[in-house]
């Protein structure tokens, strides 16, 4: 007798037998390539989840934007067509303006403080707005490090940035920063950046060490300014529809497993950031300008804060938090 027949018979005689909990493979999308730390931690998450659930749960990862760009993945999560995704905080700002505060320019000046912000109470509160605004549950944050500027041509002063076509991650708060110093922001997904640089469609990029190493952007933009001008966060998301279908116990188990790998991701970035810069120094093709601070950009921090404080109280809250570090 197959399972269907058994269930039909059981239903027919009016009593229930305990049925072993169903096995389930969650589909998880990312824009980053398999070499990226996020993808490595998602692989590790798959192992953790299989162990913790005695094989009931597993994860199939779809890297490199295979399921579409981040905006598309966010829509898929909302409809339940996708179970999970590790998306940039930048993408989520398009639906949750409070999250833009995490992209405040020069909010922190080092990666250890970026980690403290991402683990802070105000940052966690921002996640509370996700179910309503995006149809997702934001389980935890991680990051891909601090962002730097890479240009085709050398830059001597802020005036040189005027009119430069800068690739940015599509997000209004990031656009504001680049517009404020006179650049022409070109929003595009990570997967298109290398070709856009190679074919001259853009002059410069806003990027983190991890991605600069993985994609070798310096082959076409050999001038790197170490600005650390904003932190680049990630949010581990689960479709709210999928979450609602899980038992309380399973939610706790899955949430804890995801949290473990968010934490490991953050720890790895904090530990490895300096080493990545040193690796880049060893490349013959890169000209590195160190320690480019907020003063390089004039009064941009004040102007950015004034504009974004109108959109979200978290700009002031996070600045206050960091002032106490
Ligand atoms: C980006 O859009 O620049 C990006 C996205 C995910 C990871 C790293 C970079």
């Amino acid at each position: 007798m197959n399972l269907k027949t058994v269930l039909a018979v059981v239903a027919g005689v009016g009593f229930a037998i305990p049925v072993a909990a169903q096995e389930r493979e969650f589909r998880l999308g990312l824009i980053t390539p398999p070499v990226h730390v996020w993808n490595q931690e998602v692989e590790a998450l798959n192992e953790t989840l299989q162990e913790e659930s005695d094989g009931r749960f597993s994860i199939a990862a779809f890297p490199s934007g295979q399921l579409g760009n981040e905006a598309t993945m966010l829509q898929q999560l909302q409809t339940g067509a996708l179970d999970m995704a590790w998306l940039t905080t930048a993408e989520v700002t398009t639906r949750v303006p409070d999250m833009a505060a995490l992209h405040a320019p020069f909010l922190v000046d080092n990666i250890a403080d970026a980690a403290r912000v991402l683990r802070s109470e105000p940052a966690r509160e921002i996640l509370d707005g996700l179910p309503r605004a995006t149809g997702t549950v934001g389980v935890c944050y991680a990051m891909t490090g601090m962002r730097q500027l890479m240009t085709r041509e050398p830059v001597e002063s802020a005036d040189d940035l005027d009119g430069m076509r800068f690739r940015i991650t599509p997000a209004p708060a990031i656009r504001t920063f680049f517009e404020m110093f006179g650049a022409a922001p070109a929003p595009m997904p990570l997967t298109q950046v290398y070709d856009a640089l190679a074919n001259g469609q853009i002059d410069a990029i806003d990027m983190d060490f991890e991605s600069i190493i993985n994609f070798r952007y310096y082959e076409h933009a050999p001038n790197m300014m170490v600005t650390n001008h904003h932190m680049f966060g990630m949010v581990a998301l689960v479709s709210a529809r999928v979450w609602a279908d899980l038992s309380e116990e399973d939610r706790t188990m899955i949430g804890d497993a995801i949290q473990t790998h968010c934490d490991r991701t953050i720890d790895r970035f904090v530990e490895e950031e300096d080493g990545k810069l040193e690796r880049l120094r060893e490349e013959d093709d890169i000209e590195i300008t160190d320690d480019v601070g907020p003063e390089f950009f004039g009064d941009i921090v004040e102007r950015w804060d004034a504009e974004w404080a109108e959109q979200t109280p978290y700009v002031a809250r996070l600045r206050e938090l960091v002032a106490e570090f």
Side-chain angles (χ1 to χ4, degrees), residues 36-82:
H36 195 281
V37 173
W38 295 358
N39 302 57
Q40 294 170 18
E41 286 301 324
V42 164
E43 251 181 58
L45 168 61
N46 175 34
E47 284 163 25
T48 304
L49 208 51
Q50 290 195 39
E51 269 168 37
E52 294 293 320
S53 68
D54 293 325
R56 278 195 302 128
F57 296 138
S58 61
I59 288 183
F62 294 84
S64 308
Q66 274 176 21
L67 302 177
N69 61 30
E70 290 201 311
T72 307
M73 286 191 262
L74 196 50
Q75 281 166 6
Q76 291 166 349
L77 289 168
Q78 190 158 21
T79 61
L82 178 62

Side-chain angles (χ1 to χ4, degrees), residues 89 99 102 107-108 111-124 127 140-145 231-235 259 263 266 318 321 325:
T89 48
M99 203 166 272
L102 293 172
L107 175 63
V108 292
I111 194 159
D113 284 351
R116 290 176 77 181
V117 170
L118 292 170
R119 287 173 163 145
S120 71
E121 196 46 46
R124 279 219 67 87
L127 295 178
C140 45
Y141 293 105
M143 63 161 133
T144 183
M231 67 166 91
F232 214 71
M234 181 280 273
V235 203
Q259 180 71 58
D263 283 337
I266 291 181
L318 293 186
L321 175 82
F325 285 172

Side-chain angles (χ1 to χ4, degrees), residues 31-32 36 38 88 144 147 167 169 190 207-208 211 232:
I31 197 79
T32 43
H36 195 281
W38 295 358
T88 60
T144 183
R147 297 286 267 204
R167 178 274 168 172
T169 306
L190 182 68
M207 199 51 74
D208 47 84
S211 305
F232 214 71

